[in-house]
Amino acid sequence: FSAYEARSRKGPTPAAEIVLPDIRGLFPFYEQLAVRFAEAGHDAVAIDYFGRTAGTDERPPDFDFNAHVARTTSAGINADIAAAAAHLRARRADVSLFTVGFCFGGTCSWAATTHGHGLAGAVGFYGKVDIDRPAGDGPFLERCELVEAPILALMGGDDPSIPGEHITALEERLQRNDQRHEVVVYPGAPHSFFDRKQEEFAEESADAWNRVLAFIDRFA
């Protein structure tokens, strides 16, 4: 599969991130985000979901990612996460690994804590908790008791695709077993406020970025 790696100039770092993009796959924004993590002193690898079905060649601007999203599976995505984890651990065996995902990848990030990857934590932006994602897992709300690491959820308060009651249910079910989880809602912020609308929601995006770094520092 395709991946994009950015390395900290400080050498192998105590914490590293596996970036899980939205449904577009390895879009330039996520390559830039990996660089941003490296600039903050963390190694990072951003992965692509579609190598098995679309190949690894450069994709045209009109790439039909939706057709390939429908063909992803939990087994495939978790194999890719495991490969990224093995790559980062090859540089430093005791590195604290975090997944950081968005939308489709947000749910996959949280779900990764239920698959034995040995993660130190998982960050998810506006993930959906009521659908079978990644395919084969079932809804994440039904898997909260299987979570093996702290979770940070960053949600838009004006996101019609994720009702407020789903966010409340997520927080309640996570907190039931582990008080280290945190769910943050940004009032008035829409879906994709951090990746596609960052300029418009600069204040919320800056706060979210600082929370991500603080979460990593806390649990690394």
Side-chain angles (χ1 to χ4, degrees), residues 6-204:
R7 293 183 177 182
S8 167
R9 292 182 177 180
K10 299 178 181 179
T13 53
E17 288 74 58
I18 300 170
V19 178
L20 305 179
D22 61 37
I23 59 173
R24 296 172 293 177
L26 192 53
F27 201 73
F29 174 86
Y30 299 104
E31 297 178 354
Q32 296 162 10
L33 185 65
V35 172
R36 196 173 175 186
F37 275 121
E39 291 172 345
H42 304 186
D43 292 341
V45 171
I47 70 172
D48 175 65
Y49 307 117
F50 310 132
R52 294 173 179 80
T53 58
T56 58
D57 293 337
E58 186 173 350
R59 294 165 190 159
D62 61 349
F63 173 66
D64 184 10
F65 51 80
N66 279 311
H68 295 276
V69 168
R71 299 168 68 185
T72 60
T73 65
S74 176
I77 288 173
N78 279 287
D80 294 345
I81 291 172
H87 175 78
L88 290 165
R89 286 177 173 137
R91 299 196 68 218
R92 178 169 177 161
D94 63 347
V95 67
S96 296
L97 290 182
F98 296 80
T99 51
V100 182
F102 299 79
C103 184
F104 178 90
T107 313
C108 292
S109 177
W110 301 331
T113 66
T114 71
H115 286 279
H117 295 296
L119 298 174
V123 179
F125 283 76
Y126 25 84
K128 296 183 180 180
V129 297
D130 62 325
I131 59 177
D132 182 17
R133 178 175 292 173
D137 270 8
F140 182 67
L141 273 182
E142 299 177 6
R143 296 174 63 83
C144 289
E145 73 279 1
L146 303 176
V147 168
E148 301 170 338
I151 278 176
L152 173 61
L154 299 161
M155 317 295 275
D158 190 19
D159 183 348
S161 69
I162 305 176
E165 58 265 29
H166 290 180
I167 299 174
T168 299
L170 172 65
E171 183 168 25
E172 289 176 349
R173 296 190 190 186
L174 287 173
Q175 294 286 351
R176 192 176 299 167
N177 297 319
D178 190 335
Q179 297 299 311
R180 297 177 298 170
H181 306 303
E182 184 178 7
V183 178
V184 180
V185 179
Y186 292 95
H191 196 77
S192 297
F193 71 84
F194 187 86
D195 56 295
R196 302 195 200 197
K197 300 180 179 180
Q198 194 170 98
E199 290 186 8
E200 184 178 353
F201 293 91
E203 184 176 339
E204 292 85 352

